[in-house]
């Protein structure tokens, strides 16, 4: 009797294997259903994650709506986050003797030079105007920019009163001149450095500078000087993270994994139940033989 029991029990324990149970048609169909459910849950998790990071388009549109520069910045004060990159309007007159060339400057993927001017705003109540650096336009090389400087310096219409529109930008980092290089050479837009080169600065100066837009008489000025408009890139919209959406996204990913795990657990339970029944049948056969 003992010999009969020991010879039959391994046969019932070894077959079928878990893999064979999982390959049966009903469990393959169940796996496909679990994968579909998991895919839906994963898509919902992706959707929640996409909605977790939001851009404030309304705030970006405010940057693109022209506002008076005096509403956003004050001369002599640092450029605030609300002012940096904003499109502004500012009245004033250019100084013909303060034109400068800043190079190298890239524009639309090409390297060239900027022609930079000194704008004096109308006098305020205290009798002093403010000073603002204005990037007027782009030339393909420094030589062309220098010729434009000479042309505009002798043009009486250049110094007339005008209303400019452009993007107000914070100062760039200063560049250290190489040994033997002209210390007055301008390679970056640093209004504080320009102020030291301007003539007759008798009032406060803005810490930022203006990238002039080709609107109104500014467009005619660019055409007359033969300059290209400078690329005016809007600042990226600020982003905020909604942590509740992140939590929901994690939940959906967990649910997706649980759908596949549930299929595995049910298939394993069926495999274990089948072996238990085989063991019971084997035990009943041993008892009957006794």
């Amino acid at each position: 009797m003992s010999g009969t029991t020991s010879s039959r029990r391994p046969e019932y324990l070894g077959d079928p294997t878990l893999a064979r149970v999982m390959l049966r048609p009903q469990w393959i169909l169940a796996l496909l259903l679990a994968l579909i459910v998991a895919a839906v849950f994963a898509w919902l998790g992706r959707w929640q994650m996409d909605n977790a990071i939001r851009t404030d388009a309304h705030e970006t549109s405010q940057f693109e709506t022209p506002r008076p520069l005096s509403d956003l910045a004050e001369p002599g004060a640092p450029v605030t986050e609300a002012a940096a990159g904003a499109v502004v309007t500012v009245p004033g007159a250019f100084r013909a003797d303060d034109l400068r060339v800043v190079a190298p400057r890239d524009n639309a993927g090409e390297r060239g030079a900027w022609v930079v001017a000194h704008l004096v705003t109308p006098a305020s109540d205290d009798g002093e105007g403010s000073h603002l650096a204005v990037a007027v336009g782009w030339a393909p090389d420094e030589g062309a920019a220098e010729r434009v400087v000479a042309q505009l310096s002798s043009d009486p219409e250049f110094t007339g009163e005008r209303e400019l529109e452009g993007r107000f930008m914070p100062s760039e980092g200063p560049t250290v001149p190489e040994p033997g290089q002209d210390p007055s050479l301008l390679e970056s837009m640093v209004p504080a450095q320009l102020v030291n080169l301007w003539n007759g600065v008798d009032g406060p100066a803005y810490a930022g500078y203006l990238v002039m837009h080709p609107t109104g008489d500014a467009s005619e000025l660019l055409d007359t000087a033969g300059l290209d408009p400078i690329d005016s890139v809007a600042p990226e919209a600020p982003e905020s993270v909604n942590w509740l959406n992140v939590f929901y996204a994690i939940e959906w990913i967990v649910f997706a994994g649980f759908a596949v795990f549930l299929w595995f657990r049910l298939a394993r339970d069926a495999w274990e139940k089948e072996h238990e029944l085989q063991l019971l049948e084997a035990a009943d056969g041993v008892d009957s033989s006794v």
Side-chain angles (χ1 to χ4, degrees):
M1 290 186 295
S2 58
T4 304
T5 304
S6 60
S7 62
R8 295 185 60 183
R9 187 175 296 260
E11 177 185 350
Y12 288 107
L13 290 176
D15 189 33
T17 62
L18 178 59
R20 287 185 177 180
V21 171
M22 290 180 174
L23 290 175
R24 290 173 180 170
Q26 65 268 33
W27 290 111
I28 292 177
L29 291 175
L31 175 59
L32 292 176
L33 178 62
L35 291 176
I36 293 173
V37 173
V40 172
F41 287 164
W43 179 85
L44 289 171
R46 173 67 181 274
W47 177 77
Q48 288 287 358
M49 189 61 71
D50 289 342
N51 284 276
I53 302 177
R54 301 174 180 173
T55 56
D56 195 342
H58 174 69
E59 189 169 339
T60 301
S61 65
Q62 290 182 338
F63 276 96
E64 298 305 294
T65 302
R67 287 178 289 175
L69 176 60
S70 57
D71 291 351
L72 296 175
E74 295 182 4
V79 179
T80 63
E81 185 177 348
V87 175
V88 300
T89 58
V90 56
F94 287 125
R95 295 281 297 269
D97 55 347
D98 284 336
L99 285 159
R100 294 289 186 273
V101 174
V102 178
R105 308 300 290 183
D106 292 337
N107 201 62
E110 298 183 13
R111 178 146 294 189
W114 282 3
V115 174
V116 179
H118 172 194
L119 184 77
V120 182
T121 65
S124 58
D125 295 338
D126 57 9
E128 291 184 339
S130 302
H131 303 269
L132 175 66
V134 178
V136 176
W138 180 87
D141 53 62
E142 292 185 57
E146 292 289 356
R147 290 191 293 272
V148 171
V149 168
Q151 173 190 343
L152 294 179
S153 298
S154 59
D155 185 355
E157 295 185 1
F158 176 67
T159 56
E161 292 285 338
R162 63 185 76 234
E163 179 89 8
L164 296 181
E165 178 186 303
R167 194 175 301 280
F168 188 63
M169 301 297 293
S171 174
E172 299 176 356
T175 56
V176 179
E178 299 291 338
Q181 191 178 32
D182 183 1
S184 64
L185 186 67
L186 300 174
E187 295 182 342
S188 57
M189 282 296 293
V190 185
Q193 184 180 6
L194 289 166
V195 169
N196 292 329
L197 300 175
W198 289 340
N199 300 306
V201 178
D202 52 2
Y206 285 95
Y209 65 95
L210 187 78
V211 176
M212 190 179 76
H213 288 176
T215 58
D217 59 354
S219 178
E220 183 179 348
L221 172 61
L222 290 173
D223 291 339
T224 302
L227 295 172
D228 291 340
I230 297 173
D231 288 342
S232 178
V233 181
E236 293 184 358
E239 295 182 343
S240 60
V241 178
N242 187 323
W243 292 105
L244 184 60
N245 286 80
V246 173
F247 175 74
Y248 288 152
I250 295 173
E251 274 193 335
W252 285 119
I253 297 301
V254 172
F255 290 160
F258 182 75
V260 178
F261 173 77
L262 181 61
W263 167 84
F264 172 79
R265 185 68 258 184
L266 291 174
R268 184 180 177 86
D269 287 347
W271 173 70
E272 291 177 348
K273 184 176 181 181
E274 190 167 333
H275 275 287
E276 289 176 359
L277 292 175
Q278 289 179 354
L279 290 174
L280 289 175
E281 290 176 357
D284 289 344
V286 171
D287 292 341
S288 61
S289 64
V290 172

